Amino acid sequence: LGSNGTLSVHVVSDGNGAAQDITDWGVIMTSFILAGLKTESEETVGGGERVFTARKAALTTASSAQTRLNIGGNKIKVTLNLDD
């Protein structure tokens, strides 16, 4: 899934709607979040179908900043890079 790409999950009922009443749909949304996706929508369409949509966040460019830490009198140079 590319940067700023969209993922849709279509859940189709067996037609009688029984599964819709007992299913915990939060599992799908939680899976999106754990995968690093941003949930966008949840909708019900005709025929008992549900559509869950999520988007992958666009890549951001962050620069590293150099800093000096003074730990116990010894000077140590540390470079922090959030892209790793």
Side-chain angles (χ1 to χ4, degrees), residues 7-12 23-35 37 39 41-42 50-54:
L7 171 72
S8 293
V9 176
H10 296 257
V11 181
V12 181
T23 304
D24 180 14
W25 301 111
V27 173
I28 295 173
M29 297 301 213
T30 302
S31 298
F32 285 163
I33 293 168
L34 292 175
L37 303 173
T39 57
S41 68
E42 172 186 348
R50 284 186 178 237
V51 180
F52 299 88
T53 305

Side-chain angles (χ1 to χ4, degrees):
L1 187 61
S3 174
N4 210 23
T6 302
L7 171 72
S8 293
V9 176
H10 296 257
V11 181
V12 181
S13 176
D14 61 1
N16 63 14
Q20 299 246 352
D21 297 333
I22 59 173
T23 304
D24 180 14
W25 301 111
V27 173
I28 295 173
M29 297 301 213
T30 302
S31 298
F32 285 163
I33 293 168
L34 292 175
L37 303 173
K38 180 181 176 186
T39 57
E40 286 197 337
S41 68
E42 172 186 348
E43 62 181 306
T44 304
V45 294
E49 181 179 349
R50 284 186 178 237
V51 180
F52 299 88
T53 305
R55 181 176 302 275
K56 183 174 181 182
L59 294 177
T60 58
T61 55
S63 60
S64 299
Q66 292 187 357
T67 186
R68 295 193 181 269
L69 300 176
N70 189 2
I71 303 173
N74 297 328
K75 292 186 178 182
I76 301 172
K77 182 178 178 181
V78 177
T79 300
L80 302 175
N81 187 348
L82 300 177
D83 293 330
D84 291 339

